[in-house]
Amino acid sequence: MAPAPEAAPAPVPDGRPVQIFQVSTLYGAATLAAALDAGQFGPREDFRRLLLLSHHTEIPETALRLEDMTGYGRIARRFDGTLDWNETIHPYHPAAWAPRPEEAPLWQRVLRTAWDLGPAPVELVVESIQVNPAKALAGAFPESALHVYADGLMSYGPTRSDLAQSVACRIRRVLHLDLVPGLRPLLLAEYGVEPELVPDNAFRAVLTEIARDAADDPDLARVVAARPTALLLGQYLAALALLSPEEEEELHLRMLRGATAAGHRSVVFKPHPSAPAGYSRALHEEAERTGVRLTVLDGPLLAETFYERSGLKLVVGCFSTAMLTAAVYYGIPVARVGTADVLARLTPFENSNRIPLTVVDHLVTDLEGDGTPAVPGAAPDSLTPLVRAVGYCMRHKIHPGLREEAARFLAAHRAEPGTAHHFTEERLAELALSDRPAPGRPGAPARLRRTLSRARRD
């Protein structure tokens, strides 16, 4: 693996408009690289392009840095310079710090000086606009156009929180991968922002490019030599407080048992980069007990890098985006484990992980069920109404236009096994979408009865 080049200083201002691309993951950086290669940000010679790195883990100094990931150097060459957000705002944490509105002019001068931007117009390309550091950047450059990119399944869900109108009016588009062909993102739709697809062939080409950097990686060569036919994806859900460490360890064991029951005798486990080393110990013990060859693929590698080099027949996860990447871009069958369990305990209802869970639960075969792992393909007709109904229930105030559609869907499908577990009675009663009263209420209000009656007639 060739070492990544050191971050180059930003070039001296040359009068061209500046595009600043904020990234925190290699997958997100690959998405941006594909968009650039597809010409979605205009000709390279017309702009100065700066890559702004941000590290959001609880203790960024101890985490694997994006610059150390295999393939980062190839992506960085598409830019005229790199910047470090953590270094710029030190000692503040990127997830916590943002300038106060009255300080925005001062901070813009500080950033223009620190980054050698001069007086040039600035465009911002950010992820997760509703939180820092994207929110902080939008505040520091209040006149700049904003482009939002989504590198995962959350783009199909509603915006996590309300945006100031001064920010929302500047967002030009949402760039996203076609991870579920036929499903339209809800992200930022309430502000009239249109989604724009990053071409499949451009993204696949970037993944292939990244994989070339791993050609001589000894860890990857060791795993490939084991000729695994199944890959298990760890997500470190304990860090999101969705599971306890013990429950997540058991989830991984369920993945291994399911793969073993399906006939796989050589399996690779790809832990989340933030997961503790001990997470694979129980897996090794279970593999030894059942006679399965288990190899752990750790280190600074995307799971997608392994897809390029292996003959995988199965990818297993809970609700990882990498499952859909395997299916859409590599044609590898996928299966899920534990998705319904996590969905059942997810709180609050508006938790932004709900839509990724909903999509995977509806599309992907349950490894512990009766189905056969498969490539999901295009979104079935049943998925869009389900996602829109769940999205309405998550953030009903920003999508009032979805109410009648959600009511019709629930009237027709609420009792079906594939639908019921996506909604809670408490939430539906709160929104007057259930025949059952909410806790503390004497009965269904008249508005509820009228809504359900109208939905059934339709």
Side-chain angles (χ1 to χ4, degrees):
M1 179 181 70
E6 294 184 4
V12 176
D14 59 10
R16 289 180 295 168
V18 176
Q19 293 174 329
I20 298 177
F21 297 77
Q22 176 254 320
V23 298
S24 63
T25 68
L26 189 62
Y27 193 92
T31 304
L32 289 179
L36 287 169
D37 293 349
Q40 292 177 289
F41 287 97
R44 178 167 184 170
E45 62 271 15
D46 290 352
F47 302 93
R48 289 177 55 222
R49 290 174 173 162
L50 304 178
L51 185 63
L52 177 61
L53 308 179
S54 56
H55 305 275
H56 306 164
T57 54
E58 187 174 351
I59 307 176
E61 294 79 6
T62 63
L64 177 66
R65 294 180 64 85
L66 174 57
E67 307 94 298
D68 297 328
M69 293 285 288
T70 300
Y72 164 80
R74 290 180 179 269
I75 290 177
R77 293 186 194 118
R78 291 169 169 83
F79 300 88
D80 299 306
T82 57
L83 308 166
D84 190 315
W85 182 247
N86 294 59
E87 182 180 298
T88 300
I89 67 168
H90 182 80
Y92 299 104
H93 192 283
W97 181 85
R100 292 186 295 232
E102 63 272 18
E103 296 175 341
L106 171 63
W107 271 101
Q108 182 170 160
R109 289 197 296 272
V110 169
L111 294 177
R112 283 183 176 274
T113 300
W115 295 344
D116 293 323
L117 303 181
V122 171
E123 283 186 277
L124 299 173
V125 186
V126 299
E127 59 182 358
S128 303
I129 183 60
Q130 63 272 23
V131 295
N132 294 318
K135 191 175 179 180
L137 286 165
F141 292 91
E143 75 289 347
S144 292
L146 297 164
H147 306 265
V148 174
Y149 71 94
D151 65 352
L153 295 172
M154 284 187 184
S155 65
Y156 296 113
T159 315
R160 189 184 317 175
S161 55
D162 296 339
L163 301 180
Q165 191 57 37
S166 60
V167 172
C169 69
R170 293 186 278 138
I171 302 174
R172 301 292 182 258
R173 55 186 169 166
V174 174
L175 288 156
H176 70 102
L177 299 170
D178 201 13
L179 294 170
V180 187
L183 184 62
R184 182 181 175 87
L186 278 174
L187 179 65
L188 298 172
E190 69 273 24
Y191 300 108
V193 180
E194 289 292 320
E196 182 177 325
L197 284 172
V198 176
D200 287 350
N201 59 346
F203 185 63
R204 175 63 191 270
V206 172
L207 294 180
T208 300
E209 185 181 340
I210 291 173
R212 288 197 201 105
D213 252 18
D216 299 323
D217 186 284
D219 288 333
L220 184 59
R222 171 180 55 84
V223 177
V224 170
R227 296 184 179 180
T229 56
L231 172 67
L232 315 180
L233 293 166
Q235 284 183 252
Y236 198 22
L237 302 179
L240 302 176
L242 299 181
L243 296 175
S244 70
E246 295 75 20
E247 289 169 331
E248 185 157 32
E249 189 171 67
E250 178 59 28
L251 179 67
H252 296 156
L253 290 173
R254 289 166 60 187
M255 292 180 186
L256 178 60
R257 291 169 189 145
T260 302
H264 297 275
R265 309 310 299 168
S266 181
V267 177
V268 60
F269 175 59
K270 178 70 174 73
H272 189 278
S274 301
Y279 258 39
S280 61
R281 189 175 302 119
L283 279 174
H284 279 295
E285 293 172 357
E286 177 69 13
E288 184 176 351
R289 186 185 69 80
T290 55
V292 172
R293 182 174 185 177
L294 176 72
T295 314
V296 176
L297 179 63
D298 49 16
L301 295 165
L302 280 179
E304 288 76 11
T305 304
F306 187 64
Y307 300 162
E308 291 274 349
R309 296 281 303 277
S310 66
L312 288 175
K313 305 299 182 185
L314 173 67
V315 172
V316 183
C318 185
F319 61 102
S320 171
T321 295
M323 297 168 65
L324 275 299
T325 310
V328 171
Y329 297 103
Y330 295 91
I332 302 173
V334 294
R336 58 179 168 86
V337 171
T339 304
D341 300 331
V342 177
L343 193 59
R345 61 194 302 173
L346 191 65
T347 57
F349 194 89
E350 56 269 27
N351 189 307
S352 56
N353 289 293
R354 187 170 298 278
I355 290 296
L357 280 159
T358 296
V359 169
V360 172
D361 183 83
H362 193 76
L363 274 184
V364 179
T365 302
D366 183 359
L367 187 62
E368 298 173 313
D370 297 328
T372 301
V375 176
D381 293 341
S382 55
L383 181 61
T384 291
L386 171 63
V387 167
R388 288 167 68 85
V390 173
Y392 171 75
C393 292
M394 288 173 66
R395 303 224 50 218
H396 62 284
K397 291 181 180 178
I398 66 172
H399 289 291
L402 295 181
R403 179 175 179 81
E404 294 299 326
E405 182 182 335
R408 287 194 300 271
F409 174 81
L410 288 164
H413 303 287
R414 174 72 178 94
E416 295 175 0
T419 301
H421 64 293
H422 291 288
F423 304 89
T424 65
E425 285 297 338
E426 182 178 15
R427 188 65 161 193
L428 294 181
E430 178 186 342
L431 300 178
L433 289 172
S434 171
D435 287 315
R436 302 178 190 177
R441 297 183 185 179
R447 180 166 63 93
L448 162 60
R449 291 194 296 271
R450 288 195 299 270
T451 298
L452 293 176
S453 177
R454 185 165 54 251
R456 292 184 179 113
R457 287 199 306 272
D458 294 344

